[in-house]
C-alpha cells in the first residue's frame, strides 16, 4: 500500500466521484424540500378557499333567512304590498341576501352608480348632457337613455323593472332621497342588481325649498344632493357614488342655476342632466297622453323638435300614479328598437 494514497490518480478520481455524488444528493434533497413547500402551500390555499366558500354559503343562507323574516314583519305591518313585487323566486332571494351581506362590494364598479356588468353600456353623463344641449357634436351610433324620475315605490317601479328585464333593456332611475326608506329597500336593490343606473333627484322634491322665488338655492340643492347620496350609501356601502343628478322640474325651468347650484353639484362630483324627449306623463292635463300610442307619439314628436336625434334622453316617471307609463313601456321600447337605437345608462 502506498503511504501517499491521497495523491494517487485512482484515488483522486474516486474522490471526485464522491464529491459529484454528494452534490447530486444535495441537489435532490433541495428539490425535495422545494416540492414539499410547494405542496404545503397548495394544500393551505385550497383549504382556505374551501373554508371561505363554506363560510360565504352559510352567511348567505343565514342572511336570506334573516331577510325573509324581516320581510314578513314588514308585510305584517302593511309596509310592503306583495301584489306588485316579483322577487319571490329563489334566485332573486339569494341575490338580495348576498347584496345585503356584501353591500354589492363584490360587484359594484367602485365609486360608481352601477354594477360591473353594466359598465359596457354606461355613458358619461357630462358628454351626453352636452350632446343633447347641442353643445357637442355626435357621430356615433344611435343611443337612447330611458330615465324614470320620482321613484322608487312598490307599485310602479317593480312593474317597470319587470318590463325592462323581460326586454333586456336598461334605464337610469332618478330617485327621490326621501323615498329611500326600508319600505322600498328591495325594489331599490333590484334597480342596481338588475344592471340599471342610479341617479338622484333631490331629497324633498320641494320646489319652494329648492328654488325659492323660482331661483335656485345653491346651499339647499347641495344639501339635498349630498343627503340623497348618503341615503343610497346606507344601502350600497361607501364605494357607491351617484354622480348623476336631475333638478326636480328640470334645469331649464328655473333661474340662477348656473350661478351657484351647478358649481355646488360639481363640487360634490355630480353632473346634472335634463332630457330631450318625453313620454309626456307629467305634462299639464290638456297636453298629457291618455293612451300608450299617445305616449309613443309624444316621444316621436318631442324628439324631432331637436336638431340632433341620434342621442335621445327620454323623460318618464315611475311615481306610484304613473300606471300608463308602465303599461306603455313595451311600445316605447319597440319605437326605439325599430328606429335602430341602443339602450344605455348614465354614469
Ligand atoms: Zn321629479
Amino acid at each position: 500500500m502506498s503511504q501517499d494514497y491521497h495523491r494517487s490518480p485512482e484515488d483522486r478520481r474516486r474522490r471526485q466521484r464522491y464529491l459529484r455524488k454528494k452534490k447530486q444528493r444535495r441537489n435532490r434533497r433541495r428539490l425535495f424540500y422545494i416540492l414539499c413547500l410547494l405542496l404545503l402551500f397548495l394544500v393551505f390555499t385550497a383549504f382556505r378557499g374551501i373554508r371561505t366558500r363554506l363560510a360565504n354559503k352559510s352567511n348567505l343562507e343565514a342572511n336570506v333567512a334573516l331577510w325573509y323574516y324581516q320581510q314578513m314583519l314588514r308585510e305584517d305591518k302593511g309596509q310592503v304590498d306583495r301584489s306588485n313585487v316579483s322577487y319571490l323566486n329563489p334566485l332573486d332571494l339569494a341575490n338580495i341576501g348576498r347584496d345585503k351581506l356584501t353591500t354589492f362590494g363584490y360587484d359594484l364598479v367602485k365609486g360608481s352608480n352601477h354594477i360591473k356588468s353594466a359598465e359596457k353600456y354606461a355613458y358619461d353623463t357630462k358628454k351626453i348632457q352636452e350632446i343633447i344641449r347641442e353643445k357637442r357634436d355626435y357621430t356615433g351610433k344611435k343611443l337612447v337613455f330611458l330615465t324614470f324620475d320620482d321613484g322608487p315605490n312598490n307599485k310602479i317601479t317593480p312593474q317597470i323593472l319587470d318590463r325592462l328585464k323581460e326586454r333586456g333593456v336598461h334605464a337610469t332611475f332618478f330617485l327621490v332621497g326621501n323615498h329611500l326608506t326600508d319600505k322600498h329597500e328591495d325594489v331599490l336593490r333590484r334597480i342596481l342588481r338588475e344592471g340599471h343606473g342610479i341617479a338622484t333627484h333631490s331629497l324633498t322634491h320641494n320646489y319652494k325649498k329648492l328654488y325659492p322665488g323660482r331661483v335656485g338655492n345653491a346651499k339647499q340643492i347641495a344639501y339635498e344632493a349630498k343627503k340623497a347620496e348618503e341615503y343610497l350609501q346606507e344601502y350600497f356601502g361607501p364605494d357607491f357614488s351617484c354622480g348623476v343628478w336631475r333638478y326636480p322640474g328640470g334645469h331649464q325651468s328655473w333661474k340662477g342655476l348656473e350661478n351657484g347650484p351647478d358649481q355646488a353639484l360639481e363640487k360634490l362630483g355630480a353632473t346634472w342632466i335634463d332630457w330631450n324627449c318625453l313620454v309626456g306623463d307629467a305634462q299639464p292635463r290638456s297636453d298629457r297622453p291618455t293612451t300608450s300610442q299617445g305616449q309613443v307619439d309624444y316621444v316621436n314628436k318631442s324628439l324631432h323638435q331637436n336638431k340632433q336625434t341620434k342621442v335621445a334622453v327620454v323623460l318618464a316617471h315611475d311615481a306610484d300614479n304613473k300606471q300608463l307609463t308602465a303599461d306603455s313601456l313595451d311600445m316605447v321600447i319597440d319605437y326605439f328598437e325599430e328606429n335602430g337605437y341602443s339602450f344605455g345608462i348614465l354614469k
Side-chain angles (χ1 to χ4, degrees):
M1 265 251 191
S2 165
Q3 287 271 351
D4 198 7
Y5 73 90
H6 280 293
R7 293 186 181 186
S8 87
E10 169 62 22
D11 208 61
R12 256 205 310 269
R13 271 199 299 277
R14 203 181 297 151
R15 182 159 171 77
Q16 272 169 0
R17 224 171 22 241
Y18 166 75
L19 284 175
R20 210 165 41 238
K21 284 213 164 137
K22 194 173 161 192
K23 201 173 165 191
Q24 278 172 353
R25 270 201 306 275
R26 202 174 56 212
N27 282 347
R28 270 202 299 271
R29 222 169 24 239
R30 273 186 190 162
L31 193 67
F32 176 72
Y33 289 145
I34 289 171
L35 284 175
C36 277
L37 275 175
L38 201 69
L39 192 70
L40 211 68
F41 174 74
L42 285 176
V43 168
F44 177 70
T45 313
F47 175 72
R48 233 178 38 171
I50 291 167
R51 210 180 50 179
T52 315
R53 203 175 283 178
L54 285 177
N56 280 351
K57 195 165 169 257
S58 60
N59 273 344
L60 176 61
E61 280 160 4
N63 232 16
V64 169
L66 177 67
W67 175 83
Y68 221 116
Y69 174 68
Q70 287 171 339
Q71 189 67 7
M72 276 166 21
L73 288 184
R74 278 185 280 164
E75 274 167 43
D76 278 350
K77 285 191 246 160
Q79 289 177 338
V80 171
D81 173 10
R82 183 63 100 180
S83 58
N84 283 303
V85 182
S86 56
Y87 43 64
L88 266 177
N89 78 67
L91 186 67
D92 281 350
L93 261 178
N95 278 337
I96 286 169
R98 191 170 62 160
D99 294 343
K100 276 175 180 293
L101 180 66
T102 63
T103 57
F104 285 88
Y106 63 98
D107 217 6
L108 183 79
V109 176
K110 258 195 170 188
S112 86
N113 67 340
H114 57 277
I115 56 172
K116 284 172 190 156
S117 63
E119 182 61 21
K120 55 184 178 289
Y121 51 80
Y123 292 81
D124 182 72
T125 304
K126 184 85 188 166
K127 279 188 193 151
I128 300 300
Q129 183 233 59
E130 287 169 2
I131 293 164
I132 64 169
R133 291 168 76 206
E134 295 173 355
K135 289 179 183 296
R136 178 194 272 264
D137 288 336
Y138 181 75
T139 52
K141 62 175 180 178
K142 285 175 158 186
L143 285 176
V144 57
F145 299 88
L146 299 177
T147 68
F148 295 95
D149 288 9
D150 300 350
N153 55 69
N154 291 333
K155 187 178 173 206
I156 302 297
T157 314
Q159 295 182 48
I160 303 258
L161 286 170
D162 288 347
R163 200 65 56 240
L164 292 170
K165 197 175 185 178
E166 254 174 54
R167 299 294 302 262
V169 161
H170 298 96
T172 309
F173 289 80
F174 288 79
L175 308 177
V176 175
N178 280 346
H179 299 172
L180 301 174
T181 61
D182 288 352
K183 191 176 157 183
H184 302 133
E185 181 179 355
D186 305 320
V187 76
L188 173 63
R189 287 182 188 283
R190 263 193 78 185
I191 296 174
L192 194 63
R193 154 75 26 230
E194 294 179 10
H196 306 292
I198 289 188
T200 50
H201 188 49
S202 85
L203 188 66
T204 62
H205 208 284
N206 183 327
Y207 293 167
K208 284 196 177 108
K209 279 188 182 165
L210 294 161
Y211 325 107
R214 302 194 67 82
V215 181
N217 178 334
K219 215 175 140 193
Q220 181 68 20
I221 288 164
Y223 167 78
E224 296 205 11
K226 195 159 177 278
K227 268 279 177 244
E229 169 138 325
E230 279 171 19
Y231 286 3
L232 287 167
Q233 284 173 339
E234 278 177 32
Y235 294 101
F236 300 136
D239 286 337
F240 178 89
S241 174
C242 184
V244 190
W245 161 276
R246 178 171 284 154
Y247 285 103
H251 190 276
Q252 53 199 267
S253 308
W254 314 102
K255 288 180 263 180
L257 296 183
E258 307 78 11
N259 311 317
D262 289 352
Q263 291 80 354
L265 288 176
E266 224 174 284
K267 242 189 199 167
L268 294 171
T271 305
W272 65 268
I273 187 162
D274 276 358
W275 55 88
N276 66 347
C277 66
L278 54 161
V279 300
D281 59 354
Q283 291 304 100
R285 285 269 171 216
S286 57
D287 189 34
R288 192 183 301 178
T290 52
T291 62
S292 295
Q293 187 56 51
Q295 286 205 351
V296 175
D297 292 344
Y298 210 102
V299 166
N300 183 52
K301 183 184 77 183
S302 55
L303 179 61
H304 287 93
Q305 282 167 0
N306 300 283
K307 266 194 240 126
Q308 81 76 32
T309 55
K310 286 190 94 176
V311 175
V313 177
V314 187
L315 172 68
H317 295 80
D318 61 333
D320 59 11
N321 59 348
K322 301 297 179 191
Q323 187 60 52
L324 180 63
T325 304
D327 294 342
S328 308
L329 184 52
D330 256 325
M331 283 177 69
V332 171
I333 292 172
D334 286 342
Y335 170 83
F336 283 104
E337 280 185 347
E338 281 158 15
N339 285 288
Y341 285 81
S342 301
F343 292 81
I345 64 167
L346 296 164
K347 68 171 177 184

